[in-house]
Amino acid sequence: GTNDCSSWTNACTSLQTALSAAVSGDEIWDANGTYKPATDTNRSASFTLKSGVEIYGGFAGGETSRGERSPTANVTILSGEIGAVGIGDNSLHVVNAGGAAGTAILDGVVIRDGYANGGGMDSYGGGILVQSGSPRFANCEVVANFASYGGGAFFNGTSPSFIGCTFRQNSSGSFGAGIMFAGGSPVIDGCLFEENTTSSDGGGMWIANTTITI
């Protein structure tokens, strides 16, 4: 089709294209498949959330309402595996929330294979990096990401919410293989933490100076 994101017939072929065009109040529906933040080996590329924009995975393509989707049957993967498989040249952060406010939503996707082994902020949050803003994550799986700090996700003074999410097989050098929180008032509701490993401090979560509700 026209690749203008207006319908399944004219669907965008890239999630990055849809995010670039989206404005507050829009919903992005992702069909099952694997999406990568870069088509080359630009490790700095991420899927950057926008305030007021809601992203939903789990569609087969052809649905007319969000209630028809099934994230378990139609697996939607956001993958940082942009380079050669298994040699550590993956995206530094698969998802970057930037300054996305609480009205940004990511729902029904698998976030995997981020590899934050750089310097500065590029050593935090292989799966998800949030330095400001407080988005909502629901029905997501954060799997097999690595960072020096906060392998699955890192949040600095923000107040995100996680509803029905799974953090599995993430790893870090230290401070929170699953999640690292440094400040803020996050909420974790109905989530599973399983088989996350770190060399030091907080296999599942590392929490400091944070008012957290679990």
Side-chain angles (χ1 to χ4, degrees):
T2 60
N3 190 30
D4 65 1
C5 303
S6 62
S7 66
W8 290 117
T9 301
N10 298 312
C12 289
T13 57
S14 163
L15 176 55
Q16 293 288 36
T17 300
L19 277 167
S20 295
V23 297
S24 182
D26 284 345
E27 292 186 11
I28 299 174
W29 292 6
D30 285 347
N32 62 305
T34 299
Y35 300 83
K36 299 183 180 183
T39 56
D40 52 20
T41 55
N42 178 14
R43 299 188 66 206
S44 297
S46 299
F47 294 113
T48 301
L49 305 184
K50 287 184 172 180
S51 295
V53 175
E54 303 177 10
I55 303 172
Y56 296 94
F59 292 91
E63 292 90 346
T64 57
S65 71
R66 197 195 319 148
E68 296 178 78
R69 72 185 178 125
S70 173
T72 54
N74 303 307
V75 179
T76 304
I77 299 172
L78 309 186
S79 172
E81 189 66 82
I82 58 173
V85 176
I87 66 168
D89 58 352
N90 298 17
S91 297
L92 292 162
H93 322 284
V94 180
V95 173
N96 190 332
T103 50
I105 295 174
L106 184 59
D107 187 322
V109 302
V110 178
I111 302 164
R112 63 172 302 140
D113 300 323
Y115 199 79
N117 66 334
M121 293 312 301
D122 287 337
S123 62
Y124 292 82
I128 303 167
L129 175 67
V130 183
Q131 298 184 72
S132 62
S134 301
R136 187 179 81 183
F137 300 86
N139 309 305
C140 292
E141 295 186 33
V142 183
V143 181
N145 299 281
F146 169 84
S148 299
Y149 311 98
F154 170 74
F155 298 88
N156 183 20
T158 67
S159 302
S161 59
F162 290 90
I163 312 298
C165 295
T166 296
F167 290 78
R168 180 182 290 118
Q169 296 176 352
N170 301 286
S171 60
S172 67
S174 59
F175 300 139
I179 300 181
M180 178 180 178
F181 290 111
S185 301
V187 173
I188 296 176
D189 186 354
C191 295
L192 172 67
F193 289 78
E194 184 175 52
E195 299 177 6
N196 302 285
T197 57
T198 183
S199 298
S200 173
D201 299 319
M205 285 181 278
W206 186 87
I207 304 164
N209 304 315
T210 300
T211 303
I212 189 168
T213 301
I214 301 176

